[in-house]
Every structure is written in structure tokens, then in C-alpha cells.
């Protein structure tokens, strides 16, 4: 069957200041590594042409472009970033009536590549494929992976020559806080207004103007970050250019799921100060929304009133985050209508877990059984906590629906990548099979629940591809 993608593009109709039109760079040889047929069906895509998803062939109806944006990176403003190794092929309307971007990542240089080659190597492509699809299976808003294609060309990094690959990423959009920042910073108010209207129409149609948009994005990001924390996920690089207006997780660079619980856990190899540590993620989400507010304020003639309104919205966000966090973690211990005392109960458990180095996922996954106490060295302290918890009458069914049995552990991902580089995709396929059912792990995959041994621990992952 020949490939058919039902494009219905809107971003390409925006003014030329928003992007640069260009085609992906062809590759030497396309070879399919992974194809998400269920997602393709959802998007209305018929057939599968590897040359399209490698960037060698531009499909009919596409409107290829690289998007422009700026952003704060580790707190420092970079006035121009943009898609340095990605091309937006276009948009489709899926079976649920939702508009979705189809983007090639690793598709060659663009005007925003900043001396980079615009390519990606196999490891980060498969990492994003696995982790983004695992997040989807966990019920957490995220970009999706449609395809991973080998390019038949080497990519040169510090490690030397590595096999090249292209990821096809699907998103509700690729609008970021940084997309707003670049026009606000440049004083391009007409473009900023056009972008704001477009974002409201596409993502938050109930929002009343710029402040309504800010309020809606704050709510979406509060839900997202609380969901991350409930599964022990550390994004690793919460720059404003990696913060979406839609409230989806995007850009799986130095990300990871925690093994032993610690609120100060960092996985980015360059985050020396712990800015994006696990426990800092709520604070950074608020900081990012303050940057969005700063951009949107430029749309108002009465700046003092706009600052007052935006400040109230951003200052309300910590309370929203805390409420979302409490609901998520209360469900993890089987409580559907949490009280302030339950927050203390949850915090006491996390303190015990951090003190004893208890595994985050396995503690909660076994909490309804006697096996949970095996995660702790001070079992007497856990027993004392458990007595108080059981007095609350936890709902076991709620816990089973809320606590995954499996997450994509960092050491498993690294082993999968090593195997794929050697030409063996079986570990990738096995991991994907298990992660599609995180709350009801299929028989024969229990080994994937095991935390890393001391010599298997992967202490950091790296930004970029």
C-alpha cells in the first residue's frame, strides 16, 4: 500500500517570521527499526514508507519547516534557538478530532543548527521512542513516537562514529514557552498576538485572551509535573524551550525514572547545581510560567494591570501543583479523598524511603502486600508508618490502578541501546512489549522490574543527540 498522510496544515499558514521553510536532508539508506502501527492508524496514516520517515522523500501534502523559538536554558536566556535538527512535516487531524504535528527529529541541518550537523544517533532516538511511549502507557500527557529509521550514515560525537537514525515524533503541537519569548523579546507584538490567538484556538479554546491562556497553561503544567513526580520521572532539562503550551512532556534528553528515591536526584550530566532535580520540578514549572507571563504582558497597553493579573495567576500555581501532587500520591497509597493529615502520612513515607534508599516504583507497587517492607532497612519504622496508614482503610484496587509494576529503568534502556548498536533489536522489542502494560505486567517480564545492581547504575544521561 502506498503511503497516505492526511495533512491539514495550519502552522505553515502563519507569517514567515515563525519558521524557515526547508525540506529534510536525504539519507544514504533507510532501514526501519521501529514502527508504531497503532498510532499510525489513530492518525489516519495508511501505509509506511521508510524513505519518508527518514527524510529522503517529502510526502504529498506536507509543508516542511523548521520552527523558530528562543528560551531560557538552565536559567540563562538564549535569544534564538529553533529547530536545529528537526523538521515539521505538517499536521493531521486524528480519529479523535485532535490536531497533531508530525515532526522528523534528526533530519539534517537548519538555519537554527548553531554549527551542529542536524543529525541524531541511534541511542537518543531509541531512548525517546521507549520513554515517550512508556509515558503514554502510564497515562501521562506526552509526545509520541511513530517511527525510528536508521539512516545508513555515521554520526560523529565525542564517542566517535555512531549509527545515525531519525525519530518521527507526534505532538499536539510544538508550541513552547520559548516560542512566545522570542517575539516578546524582539518587541514583535503583532507576531506575538498572532501566536497567542493561534495557541488559544489550537489548545485552549475556552481561554479568555492572553491571561486566560496563561491560566490554562499553568493548570496544564501543574497536572503534568504532578504526574511526572507520581511515577518518579525526572525530565532533566526543563528549559523554557522544552515547556509546551499544550501541557505535554517533550524533549526526552537527560531524562530518567528514579530507582532509589531521593528528592535531590539529578540525571542531567551538565546540571551540576541540581536546578532540575526531582524535587525542584514544581518550582521550575512555576518559574517557566513566570517567563510565559512576562512575554504575554507585552500584549497589554496597561502594563501595571497586566502585571497584577499575571502575578496573581502565577502565584496561584504552587497551590495548584500541591493539590495535584496530593491527589496523585494519595491515590498511590489507596486514598481517594485525601485530608491534610494524609499529606503528612505521604511525606513521612517518602522520608523513610529516602533515608533507606527504597526503590520508588517497587515500594508503591508492593505497598498492598507484605513485600513492601523488604524495600526498607529500618523495617520497624516502616511497620509503625504502615499501622497508621492501614487505619485509613486504603483501597487496594485504587493502588493497583495507580502504581505501575514497571517503568523504563535507565540501566535497561542503556543495555537496549548497546544491543541495538550491535544490531540486536530484541531487547528493544521486549522492553516495548512490557511497557505497553505498566499496570498489568504480562507474564515473563518480571526481571524488568529489578532495580540495577551497583555496577549497573547509570548515574547520568546527556543533553542533545
Amino acid at each position: 500500500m502506498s503511503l497516505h498522510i492526511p495533512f491539514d496544515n495550519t502552522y505553515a499558514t502563519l507569517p514567515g517570521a515563525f519558521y524557515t521553510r526547508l525540506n529534510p536532508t536525504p539519507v544514504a539508506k533507510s532501514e526501519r527499526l521501529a514502527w508504531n502501527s497503532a498510532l499510525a492508524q489513530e492518525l489516519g496514516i495508511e501505509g509506511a514508507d521508510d524513505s519518508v520517515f527518514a527524510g529522503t522523500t517529502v510526502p504529498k501534502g506536507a509543508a516542511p519547516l523548521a520552527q523558530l523559538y528562543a528560551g531560557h536554558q538552565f536559567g540563562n536566556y538564549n535569544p534564538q534557538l529553533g529547530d536545529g535538527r528537526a523538521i515539521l512535516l505538517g499536521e493531521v487531524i486524528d480519529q479523535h478530532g485532535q490536531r497533531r504535528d508530525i515532526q522528523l527529529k534528526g533530519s539534517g541541518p537548519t538555519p537554527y543548527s548553531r554549527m551542529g550537523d542536524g543529525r541524531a544517533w541511534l541511542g537518543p532516538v531509541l531512548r525517546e521512542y521507549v520513554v515517550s511511549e512508556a509515558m503514554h502507557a502510564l497515562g501521562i500527557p506526552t509526545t509520541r513516537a511513530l517511527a525510528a529509521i536508521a539512516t545508513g550514515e555515521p554520526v560523529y560525537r565525542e564517542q566517535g562514529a555512531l549509527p545515525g537514525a531519525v525519530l518521527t515524533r507526534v505532538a499536539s503541537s510544538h508550541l513552547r514557552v520559548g516560542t512566545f519569548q522570542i517575539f516578546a523579546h524582539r518587541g514583535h507584538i503583532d507576531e506575538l498576538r498572532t501566536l497567542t490567538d493561534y495557541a488559544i484556538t489550537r489548545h485552549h479554546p475556552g481561554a479568555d485572551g492572553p491571561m486566560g491562556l496563561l491560566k490554562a497553561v499553568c493548570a496544564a503544567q501543574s497536572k503534568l509535573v504532578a504526574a511526572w513526580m507520581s511515577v518518579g520521572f525526572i525530565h532533566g532539562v526543563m528549559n523554557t524551550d522544552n515547556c509546551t503550551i499544550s501541557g505535554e512532556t517533550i524533549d526526552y534528553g537527560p531524562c530518567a525514572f528514579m530507582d532509589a528515591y531521593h528528592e535531590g536526584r539529578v540525571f542531567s550530566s551538565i546540571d551540576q547545581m541540581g536546578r532540575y532535580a526531582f524535587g525542584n520540578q514544581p518550582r521550575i514549572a512555576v518559574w517557566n510560567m513566570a517567563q510565559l507571563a512576562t512575554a504575554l504582558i507585552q500584549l497589554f497597553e496597561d502594563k501595571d494591570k497586566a502585571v497584577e493579573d499575571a502575578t496573581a495567576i502565577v502565584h496561584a500555581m504552587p497551590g495548584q501543583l500541591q493539590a495535584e501532587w496530593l491527589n496523585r500520591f494519595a491515590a498511590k497509597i489507596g486514598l481517594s479523598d485525601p485530608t491534610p493529615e494524609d499529606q503528612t502520612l505521604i511525606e513521612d513515607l517518602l522520608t523513610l524511603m529516602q533515608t533507606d534508599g527504597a526503590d520508588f516504583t517497587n515500594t508503591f507497587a508492593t505497598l498492598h502486600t507484605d513485600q513492601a517492607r523488604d524495600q526498607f532497612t529500618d523495617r520497624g519504622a516502616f511497620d509503625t508508618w504502615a499501622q497508621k496508614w492501614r487505619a485509613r482503610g486504603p483501597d487496594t484496587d485504587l493502588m493497583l490502578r495507580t502504581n505501575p509494576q514497571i517503568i523504563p529503568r535507565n540501566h535497561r534502556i542503556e543495555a537496549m541501546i548497546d544491543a541495538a548498536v550491535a544490531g540486536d533489536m530484541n531487547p528493544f522489542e521486549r522492553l516495548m512489549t512490557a511497557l505497553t502494560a505498566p499496570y498489568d505486567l504480562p507474564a515473563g517480564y518480571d526481571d524488568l522490574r529489578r532495580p540495577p545492581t551497583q555496577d549497573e547504575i547509570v548515574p547520568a544521561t546527556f543533553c542533545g543527540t
Side-chain angles (χ1 to χ4, degrees):
M1 180 187 297
S2 61
L3 178 68
H4 170 67
I5 303 176
F7 287 110
D8 183 24
N9 305 316
T10 59
Y11 197 84
T13 67
L14 295 176
F18 287 77
Y19 51 77
T20 297
R21 291 185 183 275
L22 77 164
N23 290 339
T25 303
V27 304
K29 181 182 180 182
S30 306
E31 180 184 355
R32 186 184 308 179
L33 301 171
W35 173 250
N36 192 334
S37 58
L39 178 58
Q41 184 177 4
E42 185 179 320
L43 297 172
I45 295 174
E46 299 173 358
D49 185 335
D50 295 348
S51 70
V52 167
F53 299 109
T56 299
T57 303
V58 177
K60 181 180 180 181
L65 57 87
Q67 293 180 317
L68 175 67
Y69 48 85
H72 279 87
Q73 299 183 306
F74 289 87
N76 300 307
Y77 185 68
N78 189 321
Q80 180 170 306
L81 296 169
D83 291 332
R85 56 172 170 260
I87 296 291
L88 175 65
L89 282 184
E91 307 150 30
V92 300
I93 298 176
D94 68 19
Q95 292 180 342
H96 308 292
Q98 302 299 310
R99 186 171 296 277
R100 313 279 287 279
D101 280 0
I102 300 178
Q103 184 196 69
L104 303 182
K105 190 173 180 182
S107 52
T110 77
Y112 316 122
S113 295
R114 294 179 292 163
M115 305 302 292
D117 61 10
R119 291 303 192 186
W121 79 273
L122 180 62
V125 165
L126 293 184
R127 173 181 291 275
E128 179 160 346
Y129 196 110
V130 168
V131 179
S132 63
E133 286 304 295
M135 291 285 270
H136 173 71
L138 289 165
I140 297 174
T142 179
T143 59
R144 301 284 307 277
L146 177 62
I149 306 293
T151 64
E153 298 172 342
V155 172
Y156 295 95
R157 298 293 183 262
E158 290 183 2
Q159 308 96 306
L162 299 164
V166 176
L167 175 76
T168 303
R169 180 164 70 184
V170 176
S172 292
S173 86
H174 286 80
L175 296 180
R176 312 154 187 264
V177 171
T179 319
F180 289 78
Q181 288 182 284
I182 196 163
F183 297 117
H185 186 263
R186 293 178 175 180
H188 295 174
I189 304 305
D190 288 344
E191 286 83 357
L192 181 60
R193 183 171 289 108
T194 297
L195 177 64
T196 301
D197 291 342
Y198 180 81
I200 290 173
T201 299
R202 184 158 179 178
H203 291 301
H204 304 288
D208 184 10
M211 288 300 144
L213 176 63
L214 176 62
K215 186 179 294 185
V217 178
C218 283
Q221 285 291 325
S222 294
K223 289 179 180 294
L224 178 64
V225 173
W228 287 354
M229 299 187 77
S230 73
V231 293
F233 178 74
I234 303 169
H235 185 279
V237 61
M238 290 176 65
N239 297 331
T240 56
D241 56 296
N242 294 335
C243 181
T244 63
I245 302 305
S246 64
E248 288 179 316
T249 314
I250 194 172
D251 286 337
Y252 293 92
C255 67
F257 288 76
M258 279 193 297
D259 297 306
Y261 175 75
H262 197 291
E263 66 173 10
R265 191 71 176 91
V266 173
F267 273 98
S268 171
S269 62
I270 63 176
D271 190 2
Q272 300 298 319
M273 304 302 293
R275 176 180 175 86
Y276 298 140
F278 175 78
N280 277 348
Q281 291 180 128
R283 180 179 66 83
I284 293 300
V286 175
W287 194 91
N288 286 347
M289 291 300 96
Q291 311 318 307
L292 177 61
T294 299
L296 292 173
I297 284 167
Q298 308 311 311
L299 293 171
F300 294 87
E301 290 187 12
D302 187 344
K303 295 292 193 295
D304 290 341
K305 179 63 165 60
V307 167
E308 180 181 346
D309 291 345
T311 299
I313 293 168
V314 174
H315 281 188
M317 191 177 173
Q320 294 175 326
L321 272 159
Q322 184 58 41
E324 296 287 351
W325 181 95
L326 179 57
N327 285 334
R328 285 274 184 173
F329 274 85
K332 290 179 75 65
I333 64 170
L335 306 178
S336 59
D337 189 17
T339 66
E341 290 75 18
D342 293 329
Q343 178 167 331
T344 301
L345 189 66
I346 296 163
E347 290 172 347
D348 287 347
L349 175 61
L350 293 174
T351 298
L352 288 175
M353 290 170 63
Q354 180 160 311
T355 299
D356 282 10
D359 186 81
F360 183 89
T361 300
N362 288 348
T363 297
F364 285 105
T366 60
L367 196 57
H368 65 291
T369 74
D370 292 336
Q371 297 174 26
R373 70 193 304 270
D374 295 338
Q375 300 293 325
F376 298 84
T377 54
D378 188 347
R379 294 178 180 176
F382 173 76
D383 290 342
T384 299
W385 176 87
Q387 185 176 10
K388 297 176 184 178
W389 165 63
R390 292 191 185 99
R392 287 286 288 118
D395 182 342
T396 297
D397 288 340
L398 177 59
M399 296 167 68
L400 291 173
R401 296 195 305 270
T402 307
N403 294 310
Q405 300 293 310
I406 184 174
I407 43 94
R409 294 185 182 270
N410 225 14
H411 68 296
R412 293 294 186 185
I413 292 175
E414 292 298 325
M416 172 272 294
I417 291 172
D418 289 344
V421 169
D424 180 7
M425 291 296 291
N426 287 322
F428 168 84
E429 292 163 3
R430 185 168 186 264
L431 198 55
M432 288 300 301
T433 298
L435 291 169
T436 57
Y439 299 100
D440 187 18
L441 186 65
Y445 294 90
D446 282 347
D447 59 299
L448 297 179
R449 299 179 59 206
R450 179 181 61 78
T453 60
Q454 194 64 35
D455 61 350
E456 289 176 324
I457 292 174
V458 181
T461 50
F462 296 84
C463 292
T465 60

